[in-house]
């Protein structure tokens, strides 16, 4: 709860137009893209710069008021749901690209910039920002950094973490620090830059970031391979990598996902295939041609029933867009869509897909699976209805088994979505008690009053949880 | 000091053959490759596995005995000098490559494996481990990880951090944890893997690591460009990158270094040039040919007096070996060689080299500069004599100014060598008081008794410092 005195101080810091504690204003920020989580914040605040953020944080630290930093709220782990109330902090005034440095190949941005704007700004200079999370058209870079967002190009180019080289951070005590620099090499003390990437807003507030860019690849080719056998598709993935080809994108869709995507996008995808692989390679033309030829041979050797190259960039873009639409397409089918991101070493993809299907059958659930097969990052997606409490119980059990299987296969409970509230109960499965204890010790050392996005990453009961349906 | 009871317990853990507190045995580990630092440990211990290490750590934590984990001691920041006494912990029994996984492109190793053995083992499978610190023929991977070692290929391929994907760690409380996995994507909690990379043994003991491998590049070409003008060489560096070419290696040597290297290696280097660039590109043959042609044109447009391609792999290897020999070559010239690694954004290389030369002149010192120009990581190297206390004072002042200049230009006090004891007094220049305080808080949270490599990273007076000369 925010008392009158604190309320006045907050308004004094940001101005009355940037503070909202009306019921309507708070309701809008009571949930994010994650189903089944809702909780009202006490206020919503939109600071204009790091100095204002520092003042807000100092005040909240004094009065032990939770702060939930929030970009576009596209995360899927309830990472920006204000489960313990407090203040939702918005970055709508911190939405500028500050600089593109063509000599050092960097871009410096404020956290509220939309990911796609960064991609486009880089492209206009012949440069490339590779991370491309599914929500990149609306997600903010601040959110991407806090969740260490992945995407379709992770196999070849890595994830958000691999491109963040400097940060400005407001620490929970209000101190403003700068980490890293426009430097490929910097070992001056602990790697705070990468500690903050993926820390889900629990260690401080990122107020500026410098990202590495790379030269734009010369060209790109896209192929689609169809299979009547899930495991043959999975074997193809392993075989491509074992042949020392690292494609940009190596996406997998199972039949139910394929059907949903085709019904949604209507681009003529073959809905009778048991699985498809969407494969892209980029780079110099000769290399791309050679790699794509080799990949086609490998697909055929694994009994793909059809392997076709996109005939034009438009056709390729339609395929990519269809893949990106998978979540939206599935979400149309049932009231509640629970998308997970259990991740395994890529050699275990076939075993993992098989296990997911067995678990779905065991619990009589509809689970569709798609995802980034090349990096072992699968998205088993359960189509359910959160009003059906009996079914939701089965869903929870099924996902617990899926996470256990992923860990058994050398994987993790989350490849790119983050822990948030959603996955907090499973963290110890992956890290063990000692691993979680080490992380908690770090959290407490920087945020002793637990004001920064409390209740995230580390399991505890939510203050309030309202099950909502669409 | 280790009392009799603890001594007996340590011997009981590792066996009498793996514990040495004789004066001769301790003397060997009283210093590392860093000049001017020496301090006697109380004992030297060589455990056989993580369980023994866990027992040692628990015991030392109970009795507050410092532990200094040490590979080959090739670091240049006194990172393994036991400045506060205690136990030097060796990895000579933990020196095995445990697995090469060709499906997931990983290699799993114990910390005592020599870096070059990893490179060679990967190569035997057609795979590539890019980090190549100067000392790779004798350095251990454990040391590389703890210092986040760089090397000559950092510009294109990044540093050790970019290849470490999983760790087994013994924490200061004796807990054994595992971080990461054979996964390109993993966001289950804080990125402990990368927090430990570069933590200089101050947060725990790394007992196993899984490293990412990549496919071996098809081919490699090497060229040497000579300049009569330092700044023209620096401009060439910027121009190559601005032309969107990222070479594997882009090394710079100034004339004094060149002279020393030629006197040492005698491979016919032109000692009358004011600066040389050693440039390599790897990848598919067509791409390499095209890039090298473009690079040659850029060198010529910046008035290189000569640009020559190595005629054979032997000639290329001779050039690389000569470059790698720079430190040894310079070390022959005077009793004490102080090699630093001030690092700047690559656009600032010309300004930095100029500043180094002006500072050398101001303090009447002989400073030779070479290094990884492509990533702004320079090695200004002072040839001096530590017995000459008056000169050493000037050296300290000169390096302080060099670090201040690097920071002013957006750089850092250490690009790849680490902070250790050597650079601890300068850390706050780079990070500010608040940045250092945040790091100290993390250190204290994991190691409240400060047993893990105490006195490193964070400045404090050494217990004993004996100035030694060669």
């Amino acid at each position: 709860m925010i008392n009158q005195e604190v309320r006045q101080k907050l308004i004094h810091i940001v101005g009355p137009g940037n503070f909202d504690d009306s019921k309507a204003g708070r309701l809008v920020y009571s949930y994010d893209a994650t189903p089944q989580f809702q909780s009202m914040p006490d206020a919503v605040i939109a600071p204009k710069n790091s100095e204002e953020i520092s003042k807000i944080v100092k005040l909240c630290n004094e009065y032990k008021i939770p702060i939930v930093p929030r970009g576009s709220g596209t995360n899927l782990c309830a990472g920006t749901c204000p489960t313990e109330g407090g203040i939702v902090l918005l970055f709508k005034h911190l939405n500028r690209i500050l600089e593109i440095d063509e000599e050092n190949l960097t871009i410096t941005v404020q956290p509220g910039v939309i990911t796609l704007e960064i991609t486009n700004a880089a492209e206009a200079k012949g440069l490339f920002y590779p991370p491309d999370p599914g929500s990149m058209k609306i997600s903010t870079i601040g959110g991407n950094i806090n969740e260490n967002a992945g995407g379709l190009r992770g196999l070849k180019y890595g994830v958000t973490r691999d491109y963040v080289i400097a940060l400005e951070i407001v620490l929970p005590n209000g101190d403003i620090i700068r980490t890293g620099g426009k430097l490929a090499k910097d070992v001056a003390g602990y790697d705070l830059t990468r500690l903050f990437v993926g820390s889900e807003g629990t260690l401080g507030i990122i107020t500026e970031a410098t990202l590495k860019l790379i030269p734009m690849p010369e060209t790109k080719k896209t192929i689609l391979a169809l299979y009547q056998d899930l495991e043959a598709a999975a074997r193809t993935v392993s075989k491509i990598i074992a042949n020392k080809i690292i494609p940009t994108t190596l996406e997998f869709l199972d039949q139910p996902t394929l059907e949903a995507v085709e019904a949604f996008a209507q681009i003529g995808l073959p809905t009778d295939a048991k699985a498809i692989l969407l494969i892209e390679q980029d780079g110099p033309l000769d290399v791309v041609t050679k790699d794509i030829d080799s990949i086609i041979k490998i697909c055929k050797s694994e009994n793909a029933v059809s392997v076709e190259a996109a005939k034009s960039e438009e056709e390729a873009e339609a395929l990519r867009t269809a893949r990106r639409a998978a979540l939206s397409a599935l979400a149309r089918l049932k009231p509640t869509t629970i998308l997970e991101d259990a991740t395994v070493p890529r050699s275990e993809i076939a075993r993992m897909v098989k296990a997911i299907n067995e678990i779905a059958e065991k619990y009589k659930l509809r689970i569709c699976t798609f995802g980034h097969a090349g990096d072992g990052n699968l998205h088993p997606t359960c189509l359910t209805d959160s009003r059906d409490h009996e079914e939701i119980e089965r869903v929870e059990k099924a996902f617990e088994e899926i996470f256990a299987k992923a860990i058994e296969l050398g994987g993790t409970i989350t490849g790119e979505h983050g822990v948030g509230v959603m996955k907090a109960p499973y963290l110890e499965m992956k890290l063990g008690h000692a691993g979680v204890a080490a992380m908690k010790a770090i959290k407490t050392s920087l945020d002793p009053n637990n004001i920064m996005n409390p209740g995230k990453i580390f399991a505890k009961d939510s203050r309030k949880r309202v099950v909502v349906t669409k």
Side-chain angles (χ1 to χ4, degrees), chain A residues 128-133 148-163 241 246-251 280 282 323-324 346 372-377 415-416:
Chain A
F128 186 35
Y129 176 68
D132 62 339
N148 188 14
L152 277 64
R153 297 192 278 241
L155 171 59
K156 183 168 180 174
Y157 291 107
V159 293
T160 303
R161 177 191 61 226
D162 301 304
Y163 294 87
I241 311 288
I246 310 287
T248 309
T249 293
L250 221 171
E251 294 291 307
E280 296 199 309
D282 65 7
R323 158 61 189 86
R324 280 186 191 284
R346 77 171 70 86
H372 319 299
D375 50 32
N377 181 197
E416 56 180 13

Side-chain angles (χ1 to χ4, degrees), chain A residues 17 30 80 95 118 151 202 298 316 332 347 365 386 401:
Chain A
S30 65
T80 50
N95 63 351
I118 294 172
T202 64
I298 293 167
R332 299 196 316 163
S347 58
L365 294 169
S386 61
E401 276 190 33

Side-chain angles (χ1 to χ4, degrees), chain A residues 73-109:
Chain A
T74 51
N75 75 87
L76 295 164
C77 62
T80 50
C81 181
T83 44
E84 308 200 5
I87 289 172
V88 169
L89 192 146
L90 304 179
F91 295 91
K92 61 183 183 182
H93 299 308
L94 287 152
N95 63 351
R96 283 180 307 128
I97 294 177
L98 301 174
E99 184 203 43
I100 295 188
D101 180 338
E102 292 183 77
E103 258 191 296
N104 292 304
L105 304 191
T106 60
I107 185 167
T108 300
V109 298

Side-chain angles (χ1 to χ4, degrees), chain A residues 35 55 113 115 119 157 208 226 254 272 305 352 390 416 420:
Chain A
K55 284 179 192 163
V113 175
T115 315
T119 315
Y157 291 107
E208 190 184 301
L226 316 182
D254 69 0
D272 56 339
V305 289
M352 191 65 207
E390 184 275 324
E416 56 180 13

Side-chain angles (χ1 to χ4, degrees), chain A residues 242-264:
Chain A
N243 270 271
K244 304 189 171 60
I245 300 169
I246 310 287
T248 309
T249 293
L250 221 171
E251 294 291 307
F252 166 88
L253 284 83
D254 69 0
Q255 189 170 29
T257 310
L258 198 52
E259 277 172 11
V261 167
E262 177 55 21
F264 180 80

